[in-house]
Amino acid sequence: MSLFRRARSNLIWVLMSDVVAKGATIVVTIYLARVLGVTEFGVLGLGIAIASTLWPLVDLGTNGYGTREIARDHSNAHTLLPSLNSMRLTASVIVLIASAIVIQTIGFEESKKWTILATLLYMTTYAITPDWVARGIERMSIGFAINAFVAGSFILGAVVLVSGPEDTTTAGLVRSFSFAIGAIVGLVILSRLEGIRFRFTAQLDDWLSLIRRTYHFLINRVATNLGQYIPFFAVSIILTDMDTGLFAAPHRLYIVAVGGMAAITSAVYPILTDLYQKDPEKFRRFQRKLVDYILLLFIPAAGLGIIASDRLMNLIFGTEYLPAASVLTIMLLTLPL
């Protein structure tokens, strides 16, 4: 298959997958923002921000490393899936316990503490997701199936189980367990269709060896996540819970947009890996075109933020969130950068 046919096929599946995943995130975000109210939505947003910031300490760079190594040789998937996902699962339990101790020490009020812990459970449920394997073998249809089940579970759980501010902790649990459902579906599909199976393996020497090879992926992910979430933490520390809730609404939309950009680059990552080894000049040309296409996608979004941020905030979240319209404008303007 030619380079551009491979890219087109991958991008079609990624686009479908991203529409489902990001569409569900936007729908549930709008629903929860209206149902929970500004303050409780801010607490849920804080939990998601903490979980996303801590996630690199669970992933340990294995996502990018695993995708690259499987793209180089598909047979690597049979050994890497058990090893890397077992390491991530173990790391998630350690990080979750450490987080619980820190939260207890800080002395959050009871409801806020349980909401944040419920949201942090995502780290463990997502740790076994094999989406990185699907990218490595270029079976993006499996990634689509994973995201479809996550999206369906998230929407159904939120609508059925969350009806008011008192259900904020439940909303965090729904989000976390929706990732567990997607992970299980992905593992079953990989096992049935590709014969790639996950079994927990505790091999400390192998894990330490892997970390020495994945640390640059880890550093990159930590830097990326901190860049996305430091503003949120600054708002939550300096300002009130109400301000945090107002900031959380446009911030969730911003994270969805950045996630869409990352999905595009993830789709072509195996191709870029292949090109970098075989034809560096072709790799550079392909990468430049990729940047051009992403700019064409996000420059109009920035323009929309300048022209219609008030109307967007009112339409999406309601009048309660109108004070955050200027925040939405700033966030959209950063996307092309």
Side-chain angles (χ1 to χ4, degrees):
M1 187 183 294
S2 72
L3 174 67
F4 285 99
R5 285 184 64 189
R6 282 172 65 192
R8 184 181 63 187
S9 174
N10 287 357
L11 284 170
I12 287 171
W13 277 112
V14 166
L15 178 62
M16 292 170 58
S17 180
D18 217 43
V19 166
V20 169
K22 302 301 184 290
T25 300
I26 291 171
V27 167
V28 177
T29 295
I30 294 168
Y31 176 77
L32 293 177
R34 291 173 178 266
V35 168
L36 297 178
V38 175
T39 301
E40 290 302 314
F41 184 67
V43 174
L44 180 65
L46 178 61
I48 293 172
I50 294 171
S52 299
T53 303
L54 291 176
W55 169 250
L57 301 180
V58 173
D59 181 64
L60 295 170
T62 60
N63 199 313
Y65 172 79
T67 299
R68 185 189 70 187
E69 294 304 306
I70 292 170
R72 286 175 172 172
D73 184 351
H74 288 188
S75 65
N76 287 335
H78 296 277
T79 54
L80 285 175
L81 175 61
S83 181
L84 298 189
N85 270 15
S86 296
M87 183 168 72
R88 296 204 309 185
L89 186 59
T90 303
S92 74
V93 173
I94 294 170
V95 173
L96 187 61
I97 292 171
S99 301
I101 294 170
V102 171
I103 289 169
Q104 184 65 36
T105 303
I106 291 174
F108 280 138
E109 59 187 75
E110 203 68 12
S111 61
K112 192 172 186 178
K113 175 179 72 177
W114 287 113
T115 295
I116 292 173
L117 287 175
T119 312
L120 289 179
L121 191 60
Y122 143 85
M123 295 187 295
T124 298
T125 58
Y126 189 54
I128 58 171
T129 299
D131 55 348
W132 56 275
V133 178
R135 286 196 300 274
I137 61 176
E138 294 190 52
R139 287 292 302 270
M140 305 304 176
S141 56
I142 297 174
F144 171 76
I146 293 171
N147 281 340
F149 274 90
V150 171
S153 305
F154 197 13
I155 292 172
L156 183 62
V159 171
V160 172
L161 299 174
V162 182
S163 58
E166 68 280 359
D167 296 323
T168 310
T169 299
T170 303
L173 287 173
V174 166
R175 182 179 185 274
S176 294
F177 280 107
S178 66
F179 284 102
I181 292 169
I184 292 167
V185 167
L187 290 171
V188 169
I189 294 174
L190 271 178
S191 176
R192 294 287 178 85
L193 297 185
E194 303 291 335
I196 302 170
R197 296 178 175 84
F198 169 65
R199 294 186 180 86
F200 183 84
T201 58
Q203 299 175 327
L204 186 58
D205 289 342
D206 286 350
W207 293 351
L208 292 173
S209 174
L210 282 166
I211 291 171
R212 284 194 288 270
R213 288 180 299 220
T214 64
Y215 71 91
H216 52 287
F217 290 102
L218 170 60
I219 292 169
N220 179 59
R221 178 50 55 190
V222 168
T224 301
N225 284 20
L226 284 175
Q228 291 173 9
Y229 289 102
I230 280 177
F232 192 101
F233 295 132
V235 169
S236 65
I237 292 169
I238 297 169
L239 303 178
T240 66
D241 286 346
M242 178 70 76
D243 294 317
T244 302
L246 289 171
F247 187 86
H251 188 261
R252 290 305 301 154
L253 295 182
Y254 169 78
I255 294 299
V256 167
V258 172
M261 194 186 304
I264 294 170
T265 54
S266 294
V268 298
Y269 184 57
I271 298 169
L272 290 172
T273 298
D274 195 27
L275 276 179
Y276 185 77
Q277 289 182 293
K278 296 177 180 176
D279 191 340
E281 181 54 37
K282 201 171 184 180
F283 163 81
R284 284 189 286 272
R285 290 198 306 270
F286 189 82
Q287 189 180 39
R288 282 196 294 270
K289 285 185 179 180
L290 179 64
V291 173
D292 290 342
Y293 290 140
I294 291 175
L295 282 173
L296 286 173
L297 181 63
F298 285 104
I299 286 174
L304 191 63
I306 296 170
I307 297 166
S309 58
D310 286 337
R311 279 172 284 180
L312 280 173
M313 287 301 295
N314 188 36
L315 177 67
I316 296 172
F317 295 109
T319 55
E320 276 189 295
Y321 292 87
L322 270 177
S326 58
V327 177
L328 177 64
T329 300
I330 294 168
M331 289 181 179
L332 290 176
L333 284 172
T334 67
L335 290 177
L337 298 177

